Amino acid sequence: MGRTLDSARHWALRGTELTLSAAAALDDVGYAAPSALPGWSRAHVAAHVAANAEALSNLVHWAATGEPTPMYASAEARAAGIERGRALPAGELTAWLRRSADALEAGMAALGGEQWSAEVRTAQGRTVPATELPWMRAREVCVHAVDLVNGVSFADLPDGFLTALCDDVVAKRTAAPGPALTLRVPAAGAAWDLPGEGPAARVTGEAHDIAAYLTGRSAGPHTADGVPAPALGAWL
C-alpha cells in the first residue's frame, strides 16, 4: 500500500523521535563533529532540521488561513538561518530543534479536512496540497536522523517509510541523467526500474540498503555480478 496522510504523519513523528534522540546527548564538541553530509557538522544538520520545521510551519499557516506564507524569505535567508543556528551553544540548538518540531506537530494536528486540501507552494516552487507536508517532514527527519551519525541508521527507519522513500527518489532520479538500474527488495516484494545510461545493473538488498544507496548515504550493495553498484549523482 502506498503512503497515506496517516502513515506520513506517523513516520514524521518517528523520525522526529530518532532525530531528537540522536541530538539529545550532544554537547558543543559533539555538535562540532562531522555529519554524514560533506562539509557539514552535526550542528549544521540539526540547524537545518530545526529551520525546516519552522519553514513547514509557515506552509501549515498558509493552509490553515489561506494567507500565502513562503517557507523561507529567500535562499540567502535560509542559508543564513542555518549558519546562525549551527553556531548556537549545544543546549540552545537542541532546544530549538525540539521547540520547532513541537510547534510544527501542533500546527498539523490542528488542520481540518478542507485545510489539508489547501494548496501551498514549496521552496522549490512546487504547488502541492497540504497533505504533502507530513511526507516532506518525514523525509527530512528520518534521513537527517541518520546524517547526525550518532546511533541511527537506515535500518532503524520504518519499513513503509523506506519503500515510500525509494518510490520518491526513483521518481526524481528518473528525470535526471544516471545509470540504468534494476532495484529489488525480495523480502518486501518491492521493485524499481530506473531508466538511464547503459545496460541496467541489477542491485538487490534489504529496503534499508536500497534506500541508503538511492539517497547517496551508502555505496550500496553489490550488483548481481558481484561488482559495486554504479555511483549515483546528487539526489536533491
Side-chain angles (χ1 to χ4, degrees):
M1 183 178 68
R3 62 180 168 90
T4 64
L5 174 60
D6 287 343
S7 63
R9 291 201 65 201
H10 171 74
W11 299 333
L13 288 171
R14 179 58 180 151
T16 297
E17 290 174 358
L18 291 171
T19 297
L20 292 173
S21 175
L26 295 178
D27 55 13
D28 289 337
V29 174
Y31 267 127
S35 73
L37 299 178
W40 266 20
S41 66
R42 287 169 170 161
H44 281 98
V45 174
H48 172 71
V49 173
N52 170 264
E54 293 185 345
L56 289 175
S57 288
N58 287 339
L59 297 188
V60 169
H61 175 79
W62 186 340
T65 65
E67 176 187 354
T69 314
M71 289 183 70
Y72 303 96
S74 66
E76 294 75 18
R78 179 184 186 183
I82 293 172
E83 282 300 311
R84 286 194 300 272
R86 66 97 182 165
L88 290 171
E92 293 182 27
L93 178 52
T94 301
W96 180 30
L97 192 62
R98 182 177 298 279
R99 183 173 65 252
S100 60
D102 288 346
L104 175 59
E105 172 54 26
M108 288 196 293
L111 290 180
E114 291 186 2
Q115 293 168 327
W116 278 116
S117 300
E119 291 189 336
V120 298
R121 190 167 57 253
T122 72
Q124 292 74 37
R126 294 188 304 125
T127 298
V128 299
T131 50
E132 281 293 292
L133 301 183
W135 168 246
M136 292 168 63
R137 183 59 176 175
R139 191 175 60 190
E140 192 81 13
V141 287
C142 286
V143 174
H144 287 319
V146 178
D147 291 335
L148 284 170
V149 196
N150 197 30
V152 180
S153 74
F154 273 82
D156 297 310
L157 304 180
D159 290 339
F161 168 80
L162 292 170
T163 300
L165 180 64
C166 289
D167 289 341
D168 192 77
V169 179
V170 166
K172 286 181 171 59
R173 288 195 177 279
T174 296
L181 295 169
T182 297
L183 305 164
R184 298 290 183 267
V185 181
W192 300 270
D193 294 312
L194 186 61
E197 303 163 359
R202 184 181 180 90
V203 181
T204 301
E206 299 294 331
H208 58 84
D209 295 322
I210 300 298
Y213 169 57
L214 282 172
T215 57
R217 268 65 180 181
S218 164
H222 283 48
T223 69
D225 298 328
V227 299
L232 298 176
W235 160 40
L236 291 175

